[in-house]
Amino acid sequence: MFASPGNVSDCMGDNPSEDCAEQELPAVGESNEPSGINFMTFLRLIGALAFVIILLFGLLKFINSKTKNYQQTRLIKNMGGTTLGGNRSVQIVKIADSYYILGVGDDVNLIKEVTTPEEVVEIEEYFDQSETVTDSPVAGFIDKLKRNKADQQPEKNQSFGNLFKDQLNQHNEERKKMFERAKDKERNEDG
C-alpha cells in the first residue's frame, strides 16, 4: 500500500512529517462568525414562535370539535348557565329532548322543567346562535357588527331574559302558595 502525502498515517506514528505540525484545527465551538443574535436569528425566532402558536391554535380547535361531537352523543348536556354569587348558579340542562332549569348551590334544585314548545324553540335558537358565535373569532366579530346594525338580536335576548324572569317569578309564587298551604295544614292539625 502506498500512502499519499497528507494522509493521517503521515501525521501519526514515530516520525510525523513537518506538514502535520503546521496544521491547526479550530477547537470545538470556535468559529469565525460573530456570536450573538443578529436580525436573521431574531426573524427565525419570531417565525418559529408564530408557527408554534398556530399549531397550538389548530390543536385547540381540533380538540374542541372532537369534544363537541362527543358531547352531542351524550344523553345529558349542560347548555349553559350564569353565576349568581358565591358558589351559586342557575344552569340549563338538556336531558334527552327535555330542558330543565336547575339552581345549583350547596345542593341542586329543580327550578323548572321547560315544557312549552315556544320556550323550547327559543332556548334552542339562543344556544344555536351562541354556538355559531364561538366557533370562529372572525365570525363572532362579524356577527357582532351585524347585530349592532340590525338591533334585532338584543330584542330576542331581552325577550328570553324577560321570559326567564317571568318563569322564575311564577315558580316563586307557586312555592309561596305551597308553603302557605303547608302552614295552613299544620295550623289545622294543631288547632
Side-chain angles (χ1 to χ4, degrees):
M1 290 180 76
F2 296 103
S4 61
N7 267 342
V8 174
S9 62
D10 292 341
C11 295
M12 300 297 290
D14 292 333
N15 15 337
S17 68
E18 295 175 14
D19 295 335
C20 294
E22 295 175 6
Q23 294 179 355
E24 286 188 30
L25 296 175
V28 177
E30 288 184 13
S31 66
N32 295 335
E33 296 178 15
S35 62
I37 298 177
N38 59 16
F39 184 70
M40 286 304 293
T41 307
F42 183 72
L43 283 179
R44 284 191 299 193
L45 176 73
I46 296 298
L49 180 65
F51 180 71
V52 168
I53 290 173
I54 289 170
L55 279 177
L56 286 174
F57 185 73
L59 182 66
L60 181 66
K61 284 291 191 181
F62 176 75
I63 290 173
N64 239 355
S65 68
K66 291 294 181 184
T67 303
K68 189 180 290 185
N69 289 340
Y70 172 71
Q71 285 180 349
Q72 288 175 354
T73 60
R74 294 188 334 190
L75 182 64
I76 299 172
K77 184 176 181 184
N78 184 3
M79 301 300 290
T82 184
T83 58
L84 301 175
N87 206 17
R88 304 214 187 301
S89 67
V90 175
Q91 302 289 322
I92 298 177
V93 178
K94 181 179 180 182
I95 302 175
D97 291 328
S98 302
Y99 287 92
Y100 299 94
I101 300 174
L102 304 175
V104 180
D106 295 333
D107 54 351
V108 178
N109 295 320
L110 175 66
I111 295 175
K112 181 175 186 338
E113 179 180 356
V114 179
T115 55
T116 61
E118 297 86 25
E119 291 174 333
V120 171
V121 168
E122 196 162 347
I123 289 173
E124 287 176 349
E125 285 176 357
Y126 177 79
F127 285 109
D128 286 343
Q129 175 222 358
S130 66
E131 283 180 4
T132 58
V133 169
T134 57
D135 283 346
S136 167
V138 176
F141 181 71
I142 292 171
D143 285 344
K144 284 181 184 179
L145 290 176
K146 286 180 182 178
R147 273 189 259 136
N148 287 340
K149 290 180 182 179
D151 286 334
Q152 293 175 353
Q153 198 62 31
E155 293 174 11
K156 281 188 179 180
N157 288 342
Q158 289 174 356
S159 66
F160 177 76
N162 291 337
L163 179 64
F164 186 67
K165 284 181 184 177
D166 292 342
Q167 294 295 329
L168 283 176
N169 290 337
Q170 180 183 358
H171 180 65
N172 283 338
E173 290 173 10
E174 289 174 6
R175 286 180 92 183
K176 286 179 184 177
K177 288 178 185 177
M178 288 174 54
F179 191 67
E180 290 296 324
R181 277 188 253 151
K183 278 186 177 178
D184 290 340
K185 191 175 186 181
E186 192 175 293
R187 286 181 195 152
N188 290 338
E189 289 176 3
D190 290 340

